[in-house]
Each structure stands twice: as C-alpha cells, then as structure tokens.
C-alpha cells in the first residue's frame, strides 16, 4: 500500500469538464473498502484511534441527524488515519426492542394475527427473519455518505458475542447486589404493554381538565384537585402538610371516599405544598410515584384500579371502561352527587407520552428488575470531575452532573419478547437463580425463566467494549479500548452516554469507555425549527445526495457544526456547497491544464515570486489553524477556514495573480506551476476528511498516487513570510477598491477600461501586469483622458471612462440617490432628537431608527465619494 501510494504522477492528467458526483462516488467507496483502507489491525504498532458509531436502530433509515453525526465522526477518523493512527470506526446496529417488536406486530396484524398466535419462540424467529429481509437498510445509506467504518467488524446488539457480554454483566451486577427485583411505580405504556424508563417519556402540554372534588362532609370535608379523576377509585388517603393549621384537626381521622363507600385516613406529610391549590392532595400509591412514596412513609395500602391496557378493574359501575372513558363517567357521577366544587377545562398541563408510540403513559405499580445506580453513577460523575473524561463543550458538564448526581435506580426489565431475556430462573419453592453465560440453567419440574427482556439501553451501554470482544480479553480490546472520543448528540447524554460511563467503569476495572465526549446539537430547518414529518419540514438526505452529491451534503453539515449548538440547514446551503465542490473541480482542472505539478523539489525562497511566497505562507498558517480547530472539535470554524482559503485565496487570488506568469511561460511559469501543485496537494488533503469523493478524484489525478485516504496529513512547515503577505494585501486592496468603483459606475466585470497606473515607489510595481489582468485595464493609449482618479494603497489608478459611461447621466443618478439618503438622515435625526418620541417609543423601534440613520450616513459618504471621483459633465 505504501509503495503504491508513492507512484509517479500521470504524464497527462485529464479531468472531465464537469464534476458528476453520481458517476464517481459509489465506485470510489467500493474501491476504498476493497483495498482495506478502513480495516483496523489490532496487531499494528501505530497508536490507536477508536470511535464507535452510536448504533442506529435496525428499524431506521438514514435521516439528516445521522448524516450530520456521521460526517463529523468520519472527518475525525479520516484525519487521524492520515496522521498515522491505526483507526477503528466501529459500526453496528441496535436491536431496538420496542420499536422492532412494534414493526413486526404491525406486519402480523395485516395477516390478522398477533404475537400470541405465534407464541414466543416463533415470534422471535419472525423478528429475526424481518431483520434479515428488511432491517439494516441504513448500512447501504452509510456507504452513500462515505462512512469510513470497518465493515468487517459490524456488530448487532443481539448477536452471539454481544449477548454473551450482556449475560456476563447482568450476572456480575446481580452477584454484587447491584441488580434487584422490587415492586415500584414505573412508567407504563398501555399500547406497547411494557415498562419504559424515565428518559423514554416525552412530555408535552396537553389540554385536559382540572376538577376539584369534595371528600367528606361538613367540618370534616376536604377539597382536592386532580387531572386524573379516574384514579380516585384507588385512593387510600388524603395528605396535608404537618404545619397546615387548616387541617390540623383532621390529621389522624378518616373521611369517606366518594363513590366507593370506603373510608380513608388523613395523613400529614412534608411532601405536600400547603400553598398549592387547597393544600390537600389525594393519595393513590399504586398510580403515582409521589403518592407511592407517601404510601411507604405512612404504611398505606396500594390499590391498583387500572390494568395493563389502562382499563378500570375496580368493582363497580366503572369496571371495564377505558381510563379516558372512565374519567368522564366518574366526573359525571361526582357532579350528580354534588361532589364537584370546581371544574376547569381546557386545563393545559404537561403530560408524559411513550417516545415510541406517543401513547399517554400511565404510572403503575409493578414488579420489575432494577439496577442500583448509586455507586455506578458516583463513579461516572467522578471520572469527569477528576479529568479522566472531558466533556466538550465544557459548559455541558453541568447537564451531565445534574443527571448522574440525581439518578434514580434504573428499571431495566421490559415486558417484551424481542430482546435479551433476563437470565434468571425461578424454582418451584421460591428459588431465584441468576445464570451466567457459561453456566447451565436449572432444570426439572417447576423451573421457569423470567419472561421479561432487558431495556435496549442495557446492551447499548456495553457498546464500547462488547464490540471489541469483551468479556474475552481479545487483541482488539487491548488495542482499541478505551475509545478515543465519543461524538454524539446532547439529546442522548442521559439515554446512552451515562449508561456507557457507568458500565465501562464498572466492567473495565475503573477505565472509562472514552477520553472525550464531544457533544453536538440537533439538526433543524433553516428557520431553526425542529425537523419532523408532522411539521412537513423533514429532509431525506439521500434526496440531497442524489441532487447535489454527498460531498455537498457533508460540507454543509460540517460547516454548521458548532459544539453543543443546534444546526439550522436549508437546501440553498447545500446548493452553495455543491458550487464549492464545482469550484474545487474547475480550478484544479485549470491548474492541471496550465502546468501545476507536484514533480520535483519545491523551489527555494529566492526563486519564488511575492505571490508564491504569500500563498505558501497562507497555506502553512491554514494548516495550523485547521489543526487547532480539529483538536477543539470546531467543525464549523475549520470548514469556514478551508472554504475561504481554497475559494478566496487559492482560486480567486493566487490562480488569478499567476495567470500572467503561466501565459508568459519560461522559468517563472515552471516555478509557479510547482508552487500551485504544492498548494493544491496540501489543500486537497486538508479538505479530504470533509469532502472525500471530489478530493480523491482530484488528488490522485494531480499526484498519480494511490489514494488520498492513505496520504499523509499535511504538516505546518513553519514557513511564514509576513512581507509577502503585506505586499499581496496591498495588491488585493487596489484590486478590490477599483472593482468596487467599477461596480458603482455600472461597468460590467469583463468590460475593458483604459487606465494609467502610477505604482512607482511602491511594492506594487512588479504586479502591474497582474493588476491590469484582474481589473480588465487596458494600456492608456493615444488620447487618454483621466476622467476618474483613485488613490489607494500608496498608488494611483487613473481611469478613462469617457467612452464607457454617460458621465452626465451618472451624476444625475447619484445626485438623486444622495438627496434620498440625506432626506432619510434628516427624518431619522429628527425623530431621535424628539424627547417625547423617545420616551414613548419601544426600544426595538428606536433601534431600527438608529440603524436607518447609520445606513443613511454610510450611503451619503459612499455616494459623495463616487461623485468626487467622476469628472465634470
């Protein structure tokens, strides 16, 4: 590979006149994979760089958020590979328990069947069949994007090796008494029929109703308010604050619960806020987490009145009603009984929904498996506090600590069939046996395995080391653990990152799973709105790739990526990135046609023109700047730096400044061709991690070498030439000022104008030919008349506009514009000088008028300068 990478340049490199991404991207990617560029070797002596893909759901497809994250990870990985690291970008997919089971159940429903018709074993086999036929389409889409992952290591959270890892860590946690089974309030989804964790509940403001209900009679009456009247059937107490004198005489007594005939106690509990509502709350321990804790403190019974589908189970007229039907019926019955004191509807309040199916979740008392997270969370917090793990950007640390320092025990059991089944067996006499991966489960009459499966995040929490072969001590585990960096969205800091931190530190003897956590934001539309199918603003990145090419999509996403900040993106920005790719293509093609080469040694400084020294100085400064931004995960800034260096300085200035040299031929043309070849070589390598396809095509054509994927990352040689930089800056000032004047006079960019350049005594003199070429300035010739004179940068540019514009008409136009600007200034000044107006006007109105005044003053100065430069009509 190394020898091939040093092949000599092609003798007559040629490129098509236009870049067609669709014709090259797929072929290039397959060539990279076939040649093993992305394959990581654990036996390599190179230093390791490891990064894992946040495993997408097997049910998913590539959305813009995936494309964004993958672009950043791929850029980091490609650069590290070029820097000489043994890089591993670990791919794989998550089995996505609830989501995948839902997909297959919907398929069964089309056949008029349910999973229960098939039975557990057959249903699980059906899910595996679905995965083989339909799952994992995202892998092909990742190839389209150019993801440089090691496909030979692709893993799935339900494959044999990862299943062994899951069973191993469950057994270890169980033996260390960090896993237990207990009855607690959990979030229950009546649609998915399973428990879900707190972080899988999405809260949104829903319109409901708030009803105030009178419990008891006369002096013993207490009014409570609720948005869930149906749960009153399970009330086992009313609670008040111990210091609330209004109810002191009732604490310890009993009152009648309406509609039921039961009598329930009045208890005093510090959890109650005496300032909220009536200062009294109903207590339903089986259907509310706060009430459950009150119930435990006061030894109250827990009465479940809703089944797993949200149907009323309490005896009486409401039995069999759905929870929402029961709510209306119970309020009606209370109203008829004179128990409703007040009703408010609609009453907007925050309601939890299942993140998978959007069903309103139901707090429910249930027997589940839990992880005792206290010591695990403590270690996860300490690893960041002591600097073992860095969170970037640093301001995100507070969100991390806010979570891990207050983490409740984690409910890990799910009432599903698809997933890692809990490795616990129950015996006929109450025995409980946890079975490790190398142990035989107990057999005999009466022994049964727990029917639940583990939360999906339990297995994905092992991802940084289970994918490397743990619990076996493999070469890969030794080489590539811990990961170098984790790139992921701040939105799953709690879902996934905290889980990996806890499990990595626990399983790997205190070694955290990664050195750095680099958090990025969410992709939004160009107006900053969240992308969603329901909003009609969701984008399929493949559509943009088809239209503009993968490089354009990647560059757009990288250019918007500020650490921890959401990323707005619109199609016009992708179009602009496509234009950038075309600019790279066209400029490189021009350079190759005009002598750009990488052959031979770079000429000495004495042989170089000022323009040559300037661009090489700027090139090295850009290398240093890009390196610094990469180390700080500043993708937006490094992309901007590359964009402006490549487009502005290389293509718009250096190439143009050197055209006269190329066309003149001779030794200086050879020198500039070698310099341009050097600049293109380095620039294409700098751009490659973000726009890999177009740079691969151009770099291999320029150099004749095997692939830019395995080329060396550019190093800053330290060459700087401040004198040359100042010299070319003066040239740029002259050209920019004259171009602005030409535009102000309405001249077309290509329109030639006779001019006299007085450059003597300045460093500009050697650049006269280039300045004339850039500004389309003809020699002054016979009959030259300087109708406009521009002093700039110590030089004088005199233009003869007599044959190009109607001076009289131009003066009239400018005079009209000047009068309008002066009128605008007068009006704005008058308003800002009116104290009465300033006292009444809102701040934003005053700010707009100040902006108008500033703009008018700028216009007056600009137009006056233009008039001064024009000759008299």
């Amino acid at each position: 590979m190394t020898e091939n990478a040093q092949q000599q340049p092609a003798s007559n490199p040629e490129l098509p006149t236009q870049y067609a991404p669709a014709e090259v991207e797929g072929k290039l990617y397959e060539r990279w994979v076939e040649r093993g560029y992305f394959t990581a070797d654990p036996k390599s002596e190179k230093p390791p760089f490891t990064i894992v893909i946040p495993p997408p759901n097997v049910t998913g497809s590539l959305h813009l958020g995936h494309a964004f994250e993958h672009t950043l990870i791929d850029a980091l990985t490609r650069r590290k590979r070029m820097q000489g690291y043994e890089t591993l970008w670990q791919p794989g997919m998550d089995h996505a328990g609830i989501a995948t089971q839902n997909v297959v159940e919907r398929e069964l429903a089309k056949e008029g069947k349910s999973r229960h018709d098939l039975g557990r074993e057959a249903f699980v086999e059906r899910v595996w069949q679905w995965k083989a036929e339909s799952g994992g389409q995202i892998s092909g889409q990742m190839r389209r994007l150019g993801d440089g992952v090691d496909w030979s290591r692709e893993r799935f959270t339900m494959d044999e090796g990862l299943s062994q890892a899951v069973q191993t860590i469950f057994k270890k946690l169980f033996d260390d008494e960090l896993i237990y089974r207990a009855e607690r309030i959990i979030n229950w989804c009546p649609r998915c029929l399973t428990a879900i964790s707190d972080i899988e509940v999405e809260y949104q403001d829903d319109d409901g109703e708030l009803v105030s209900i009178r419990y008891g009679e006369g002096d013993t009456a207490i009014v409570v308010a609720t948005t869930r009247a149906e749960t009153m059937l399970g009330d086992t107490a009313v609670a008040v604050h111990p210091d609330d004198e209004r109810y002191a005489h009732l604490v310890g007594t009993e009152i009648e619960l309406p509609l039921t005939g039961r009598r329930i106690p009045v208890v005093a509990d510090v959890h109650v806020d005496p300032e909220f509502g009536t200062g009294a709350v109903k207590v339903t321990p089986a259907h509310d987490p706060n009430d459950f804790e009150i119930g435990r403190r006061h030894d109250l019974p827990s009465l479940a009145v809703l089944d797993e589908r949200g149907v009323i189970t309490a005896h009486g007229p409401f039995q069999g009603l759905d929870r929402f039907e029961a709510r209306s019926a119970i309020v009606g019955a209370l109203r008829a009984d004179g128990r409703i004191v007040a009703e408010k509807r609609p009453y907007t309040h925050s309601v939890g929904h299942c993140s998978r199916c959007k069903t309103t979740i139901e707090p429910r008392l249930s027997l589940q498996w839990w992880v005792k997270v206290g010591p695990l969370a403590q270690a996860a917090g300490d690893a960041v506090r002591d600097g073992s793990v860095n969170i970037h950007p640093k301001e995100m640390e507070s969100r991390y600590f806010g979570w891990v320092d207050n983490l409740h025990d984690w409910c890990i059991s799910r009432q599903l069939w698809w997933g890692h089944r809990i490795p616990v067996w129950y015996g006929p006499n109450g025995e409980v046996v946890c079975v490790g991966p190398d142990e035989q489960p107990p057999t005999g009459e009466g022994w049964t395995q727990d029917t639940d499966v583990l939360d999906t995040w339990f297995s994905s929490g092992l991802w940084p080391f289970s994918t490397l072969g743990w619990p076996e001590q493999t070469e890969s585990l030794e080489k590539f653990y811990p990961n170098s960096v984790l790139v992921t969205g701040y939105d799953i800091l709690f879902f996934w990152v905290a889980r990996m931190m806890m499990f990595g530190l626990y399983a790997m003897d205190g070694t955290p799973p990664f050195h750095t956590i680099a958090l990025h934001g969410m992709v939004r539309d160009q107006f900053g709105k969240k992308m969603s199918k329901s909003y009609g603003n969701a984008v399929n990145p493949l559509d943009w790739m088809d239209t503009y090419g993968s490089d354009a999509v990647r560059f757009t996403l990288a250019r918007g990526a500020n650490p921890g900040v959401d990323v707005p993106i619109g199609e016009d920005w992708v179009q602009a990135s496509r234009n950038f790719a075309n600019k790279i293509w066209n400029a490189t093609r021009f350079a190759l046609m005009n002598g750009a080469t990488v052959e031979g040694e770079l000429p000495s400084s004495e042989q170089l023109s000022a323009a040559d020294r300037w661009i090489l100085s700027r090139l090295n400064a850009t290398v240093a700047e890009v390196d610094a931004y990469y180390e700080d995960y500043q993708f937006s800034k490094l992309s901007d730096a590359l964009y402006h260096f490549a487009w502005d300085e290389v293509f718009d200035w250096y190439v143009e400044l050197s055209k006269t040299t190329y066309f003149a031929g001779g030794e200086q043309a050879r020198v500039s061709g070698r310099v341009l070849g050097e600049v293109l070589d380095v620039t294409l390598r700098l751009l490659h991690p973000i726009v890999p396809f177009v740079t691969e095509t151009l770099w291999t054509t320029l150099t004749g070498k095997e692939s830019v994927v395995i080329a060396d990352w550019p190093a800053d040689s330290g060459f700087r030439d401040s004198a040359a930089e100042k010299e070319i800056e003066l040239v740029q000032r002259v050209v920019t000022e004259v171009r602005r004047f030409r535009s102000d006079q309405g001249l077309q960019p290509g329109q030639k104008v006779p001019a006299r350049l007085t450059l003597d005594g300045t460093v500009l003199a050697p650049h006269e030919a280039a300045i004339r070429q850039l500004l389309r300035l003809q020699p002054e010739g016979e009959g030259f008349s300087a109708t406009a004179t521009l002093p700039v940068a110590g030089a004088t540019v005199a233009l003869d506009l007599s044959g190009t514009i109607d001076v009289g008409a131009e003066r009239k136009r400018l005079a009209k514009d000047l009068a309008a600007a002066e009128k605008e200034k007068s009006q704005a000044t008058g308003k800002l000088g009116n104290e009465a107006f300033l006292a009444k006007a809102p701040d934003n109105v005053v700010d707009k008028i100040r902006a108008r005044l500033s703009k008018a003053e700028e216009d007056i100065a600009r137009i006056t300068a233009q008039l001064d430069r024009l000759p008299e009509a």
Side-chain angles (χ1 to χ4, degrees), residues 300-471:
L300 300 174
S302 295
L303 300 181
V305 295
L306 290 165
D307 70 7
E308 61 183 10
R309 297 183 184 275
V311 174
I312 297 292
T313 58
H315 293 295
F318 310 109
Q319 187 175 5
L321 292 180
D322 171 80
R323 55 185 167 158
F324 300 118
E325 296 173 334
R327 181 177 301 171
S328 177
I330 288 170
V331 170
L334 289 168
R335 190 183 300 114
D337 201 26
R339 293 286 175 177
I340 300 295
V341 175
E343 297 180 68
K344 183 178 181 180
R345 66 170 64 86
Y347 176 73
T348 303
H349 61 130
S350 181
V351 177
H353 296 260
C354 173
S355 62
R356 300 308 196 291
C357 70
K358 312 308 177 187
T359 300
T360 301
I361 63 102
E362 191 65 48
R364 185 168 186 255
L365 187 63
S366 181
L367 184 62
Q368 302 284 345
W369 284 95
W370 304 78
V371 171
K372 188 182 297 182
V373 299
L376 304 176
Q378 176 71 43
D382 290 345
V384 175
R385 288 189 174 92
D386 66 20
S388 300
V389 177
N390 297 307
I391 293 181
H392 190 279
K394 191 172 181 62
E395 53 265 28
M396 286 286 180
E397 281 187 359
S398 60
R399 297 184 64 171
Y400 177 79
F401 292 136
W403 179 257
V404 298
D405 293 348
N406 298 284
L407 201 57
H408 300 297
D409 284 1
W410 173 18
C411 177
I412 56 171
S413 47
R414 299 291 181 266
Q415 289 63 56
L416 304 171
W417 288 357
W418 172 246
H420 296 100
R421 194 165 174 180
I422 288 176
V424 171
W425 271 256
Y426 305 108
N429 299 311
E431 302 95 332
V432 177
V433 176
C434 180
V435 177
D438 299 322
E439 301 171 349
Q440 291 296 320
T443 57
E445 187 176 349
W447 283 94
T448 59
Q449 185 178 358
D450 195 297
T451 57
D452 289 350
V453 300
L454 288 164
D455 177 12
T456 298
W457 298 103
F458 190 95
S459 51
S460 60
L462 314 180
W463 192 248
F465 51 93
S466 64
T467 52
L468 297 172
W470 187 89

Side-chain angles (χ1 to χ4, degrees), residues 98 117-118 122 296 337 347 407 418 470 480 541 599 609 619 630 671 673 684 722 756 783 829 853:
I98 297 176
D117 294 323
L118 272 66
R296 290 213 300 181
D337 201 26
Y347 176 73
L407 201 57
W418 172 246
W470 187 89
F480 296 113
E599 293 190 62
S609 68
L619 176 69
Y630 261 116
V671 169
L684 291 170
S722 58
R756 178 189 299 133
T829 302
L853 175 60

Side-chain angles (χ1 to χ4, degrees), residues 100 103 111 288 338 548 584 596 613 748 832 839:
T100 306
V103 167
E111 303 170 14
D288 184 274
Y548 304 109
I584 299 170
R613 296 195 305 276
Q748 296 299 313
L832 293 173

Side-chain angles (χ1 to χ4, degrees), residues 232-297:
M232 68 163 291
L233 301 177
D235 286 358
T236 57
V238 170
V240 298
H241 194 275
D243 300 331
D244 194 334
E245 295 181 359
R246 293 173 295 175
Y247 304 112
H249 66 290
L250 294 177
V251 174
T253 67
E254 291 186 342
I255 58 174
E256 185 173 326
L257 178 66
L259 306 182
T260 67
R262 286 193 291 112
R263 297 188 65 79
I264 57 177
V266 178
V267 299
D269 195 279
V270 292
H271 170 76
V272 180
D273 181 1
E275 303 298 324
F276 182 76
T278 63
V281 296
K282 58 191 288 297
V283 181
T284 321
H287 295 284
D288 184 274
N290 293 322
D291 293 3
F292 177 77
E293 295 301 327
I294 293 175
R296 290 213 300 181
R297 287 193 289 272

Side-chain angles (χ1 to χ4, degrees), residues 21-236:
E23 295 178 11
V24 300
E25 290 179 349
K27 295 175 184 177
L28 284 181
Y29 188 83
E30 291 310 315
R31 184 188 306 162
W32 293 335
V33 173
E34 289 168 5
R35 292 180 177 179
Y37 296 158
F38 306 144
T39 304
D41 181 6
K43 293 183 171 63
S44 168
E45 295 183 1
K46 296 178 182 178
F49 179 81
T50 316
I51 197 165
V52 296
I53 184 176
N57 287 354
V58 67
T59 58
S61 61
L62 191 73
H63 58 63
L64 207 56
H66 287 130
F68 171 59
E69 186 168 77
H70 290 200
T71 294
L72 305 187
I73 297 174
D74 197 39
L76 290 176
T77 308
R78 285 177 182 272
R79 173 174 175 262
K80 285 296 183 181
R81 184 180 295 111
M82 296 171 74
Q83 287 183 312
Y85 286 79
E86 190 63 31
T87 60
L88 168 60
W89 183 9
Q90 174 67 54
M93 288 181 292
D94 193 286
H95 66 280
I98 297 176
T100 306
Q101 179 157 319
N102 284 347
V103 167
V104 178
E105 286 196 81
R106 284 196 295 269
E107 292 295 314
L108 284 174
K110 294 176 184 177
E111 303 170 14
K113 298 178 181 177
S114 74
R115 60 182 165 122
H116 300 285
D117 294 323
L118 272 66
R120 183 169 192 143
E121 186 175 336
F123 176 77
V124 170
E125 181 58 37
R126 180 70 176 260
V127 181
W128 279 108
Q129 180 183 338
W130 174 87
K131 176 189 177 293
E133 295 173 356
S134 307
Q137 61 175 317
I138 203 167
S139 297
Q141 296 165 342
M142 287 167 60
R143 293 171 182 265
R144 284 287 311 278
L145 188 64
D147 286 2
V149 300
D150 185 348
W151 290 110
S152 68
R153 293 173 175 268
E154 187 174 12
R155 304 302 299 269
F156 180 57
T157 51
M158 286 278 287
D159 67 26
E160 184 177 351
L162 270 65
S163 295
Q164 182 184 24
V166 168
Q167 196 170 351
T168 299
I169 202 162
F170 187 100
K171 171 70 171 175
K172 179 174 171 60
L173 289 163
F174 183 90
D175 290 347
D176 288 345
E177 297 184 350
L178 292 173
I179 281 184
Y180 65 94
R181 196 180 190 216
E183 201 171 41
R184 299 278 189 276
I185 290 284
I186 48 90
N187 303 301
W188 181 264
C189 177
R191 159 61 185 81
C192 298
L193 299 179
T194 181
I196 60 175
S197 67
D198 290 343
I199 54 180
E200 292 169 303
V201 178
E202 293 179 348
Y203 287 90
Q204 66 185 47
D205 287 341
D206 287 356
D207 285 340
E209 61 181 354
L210 179 68
V211 293
S212 297
I213 310 168
R214 178 172 51 82
Y215 287 18
E217 301 290 348
D219 293 339
T220 66
I222 296 180
V223 175
V224 299
T226 182
T227 58
R228 302 170 67 225
E230 68 278 9
T231 63
M232 68 163 291
L233 301 177
D235 286 358
T236 57

Side-chain angles (χ1 to χ4, degrees), residues 587-601:
T588 305
R589 184 172 179 272
F590 168 84
L592 289 170
M593 292 170 61
N594 288 276
T597 180
V598 295
E599 293 190 62
E601 294 294 322

